[in-house]
Amino acid sequence: MAAEGHNVDGTLLELGRDHGHYFQKKTFTKPTYCHHCCEKIWGMLTQGYVCEVCNFVCHEKCMKTVVSYCSGVALQLIKNPVAHMWSEPGHIKRKFCNVCRKRTEDSTSIECEVCEYYVHVDCHDLAVSDCKEAATYVPSLDKAAQAQYHHMREGNLPRDSKCVVCKKVCSSSECLAGMRCEWCGQTAHALCYRQMHEMCDLGLLQKIMLPPNSLTIPRNELPMEKLLNITASEQTAARKVSSPCKITADDVSSGGDETKEKEDYEVLRIFDGNNSLRNQVFRTASVPKTASVQQIRDSALRRFHIQDNPDNYYVTQVTNDLTGEEESLEDPVPLRNVKRPEGRRAQIFLRYRDDPDKAIVKIYGGWLRIPVTFCTMTVTKETVQDVISDSLDHFGLDRKTWNRYNLIEVSLERGVVERTCNQQETMLQLVRNLRKDSLRRYHVVRFYVQEKEDPHDHAVFVGNLPVSLAQRQYERILLKLLGAKEKPFTAIGPIYFEYGSLVITFNTPKAASAAVHRLQNAVYEDKKLIVLCLPNVQPKMLPPESEPLLVLVNVKSGGCQGTELVKSFRKLLNPFQVFDVLKGGPLVGLYVFRNIPKYKILACGGDGTIGWVLQCLDIAKQDAACFSPPCGIVPLGTGNDLARVLRWGGGYTGEENPLDILKDVIEADEVRLDRWAVVFHEEERTQPPTAPTPEGSAEAEGMMNNPEDQTSMIIMNNYFGIGIDADVCLKFHNKRDANPEKFQSRLFNKTQYVKIGLQKALFERTCKDLWKRIELEVDGKIIELPNIEGIIVLNLLSWGSGANPWGTAKEDENFSKPTHYDGLLEVVGVSDVSRLGLIQSKLAAGIRIAQGGSIRITTHEEWPVQVDGEPHIQPPGTITILKSALRAQMLKKAKKKRNQGQQIAIGGGGRSVGNDEMAASTRGGGAVHTTSTFKRGGRGGKRGPGGDETDSNDEADAFL
């Protein structure tokens, strides 16, 4: 399916007013709706028209104004094809197939991860490659000349969508009808949408949208799935079914039960070329046994959806030997003498009448962003080089500059596949070979003129390397994996030593493609490398008021709710501004956005993900144009205390509209978040180690004389705990590490905390008399401790999934009102496990002990501690909490009332007409754990792809 629009050119084929449909009058015996006007075709036994190929249904009165092209020809009408990114097959509810127009729940279906395009797996072959063109930057055009047009998609509109022209409802739950722009979300009737303004303003998300004309993507032979790092469905790629609508058991070339034929009809197997016969890929056609040659030929053309002059084609018998001479079918009864292999149906070839001396070809110039879609020329002995020169003449460009261009062969069969033609190839022979191998493929192959100079910076991200190596060591590893003696890349860097990740840059797309193919399956030290080709942002193309949103999603957070979120955000925004942090980490997105002077971040995940994002931001911002972008939160974890304080809610439920979340981000206020450095310093050993160490050895010397080896640091955002709450957290952490598959449910996690808490209360009071066994110092003053078993140091007034240990009582003269940006920490004591449960139940508060900007705790024995839900056992020594220079700018959801009177329905396409607040109950939370250059010891480490493994550790205090 394709509709009239900027990216569709009906002149590419000679079509009549029916837009390629094969309409037949039909009597409907059940309620049926017109796919053009959405109205019911009335009557008990009513007549309408239905297309034999794509099942398009309409009134007789609507036939003259149809704007939707038939699925059989739509693939050949797209100006600039862009491949879809298909999901895994499944049963998709309440949608319609964009090819056969039937309901997707009727059979297994797939959807595009980037746009609102749905197809049955059986219809995949005829899917139109017109996904959103998300990277359109052209260096030769100035900013004003690079216009953004609507990208219209038919059908599957949100319920109650309103037409922007006539203001009436244009959606339908009964058929594939209505139009919607994939960028701005405006919706309209098929009758009305041609009255819309041609230019698209990107809708209400314009401010945070990354404009397509500011992006470039690599010119290489990698599929789009590799650029967006979406796992392509192998099942859909393996399908051999080619018929979009009339699928029978025999349509699948692998065989199956043969359908019974009517007495007067015969089913033929039709091959469209030599490759089809070799691979046994055919289509079937049922024709009368007395059919003429012309009827057989016309039926074959329809089966392969070839819209061309039928006189240019003929049919022959299939021979066993492809080198033998083929016998043409002859009237009056051509099927009478057709040879039929034993137990098989008659097999015929559909062939093209080649002129041995010349051929007509179309050369496309869409990638040059010129007003001419294509030019037609007759080729005889011309080479590819001659064709480039002649086409430049037709496009109004200087033919003498032919050496600056390439001719690219683009196949639209099963997506978009590119090949650069050899300049010395003979164009006539190239075309004839295509026709001989497969007529279907010949009709979906195009030739594009493209500039050789590539404005893209060919940067490749490589992750999962060993951490903290020298640059030369990383270079040697890469050379070994690439199998090269000399460096094929021109530059290496930045290098993110803490994560074992780096970026390498190449001069040419060919070199980058070769490196990606070599590295993407490489394994080093039993770890598979993460390899990504990165898009490039041109900051000069951004509007002055633009603040693009960098979306970082942990797809495994919140019971895999992140998977649906990343899909929704890719459809609402530019897909190249949405990243899955499990594939390369937040550093990938931060590198892509490094040159943007002002942008925002939306981190979607649990507390571990938020901390991981802020930690990576600390590393990447040193070389970035925007030093401190504000960060919003969609909380997918369990505790989500930072999200609660910033009004993003206590947890994402999956019922919130992703569009509303993005609108809340636009309207959110920027606030500062204090961050604190927790420095652990172990006591110097006075006893020799258990294992004998040679005197004077480097190891012994380091143990006794190098205090830095006993020091580590973690950055704290939310809270710190020592004693009973950390002990419960640690026990849970250990149980989950032993059996991670059991800890997939939030409810199960909470019951485990209750169980651990009861054990501690009744049998294991290991933190008894903590107040006697540690020393607390606040702002240089020794604090006398009450009878407590745990201490909690708060930066936020939210702890353990929304509880407030500090309490809500009126502040007394000893303490000021606490905030997350006042430069002060609140110290709270917990008397025992039962008190911890009461705090979590919000029935009581802790014991207020102190408030200050510097905390020092001295211990003389091992104690369980936790920082933002990350627990470990701390050896004897000192724990110092100091104000960190690493500050964070956060986004706090604006506190506004919802104004429902100004809303219109838009959904994946709908937008609000006003600036009304679309309240969305989203969630967030975060803690940043940054490992210093000091030795970390055995207390965990940096956040990585498993950063959310500690998301539910905020529940350490979440038991009743």
Side-chain angles (χ1 to χ4, degrees), residues 219-222 460 481-483 488 506 508-520 531 533:
R219 287 183 191 168
N220 50 36
E221 298 176 0
L222 296 172
V460 176
L481 295 174
L482 291 170
F506 297 85
T508 65
K510 186 176 181 180
S513 296
V516 171
H517 282 300
R518 193 72 182 261
L519 293 174
Q520 63 185 357
V531 182
C533 279

Side-chain angles (χ1 to χ4, degrees), residues 785-855:
L785 295 174
N787 188 349
I788 56 176
E789 293 187 16
I791 292 177
I792 302 173
V793 180
L794 298 169
N795 185 40
L796 307 176
L797 289 185
S798 181
W799 166 92
S801 300
N804 183 4
W806 186 254
T808 57
K810 187 176 180 180
E811 305 299 329
D812 55 40
E813 58 183 13
N814 297 322
F815 305 110
S816 60
K817 184 178 180 180
T819 66
H820 53 79
Y821 50 84
D822 58 2
L824 298 175
L825 294 169
E826 288 69 49
V827 183
V828 179
V830 180
S831 57
D832 51 31
V833 173
S834 60
R835 189 72 170 186
L836 198 64
L838 291 173
I839 294 173
Q840 176 59 37
S841 304
K842 302 178 183 178
L843 299 176
I847 303 170
R848 294 182 182 180
I849 296 175
Q851 189 179 48
S854 173
I855 311 292

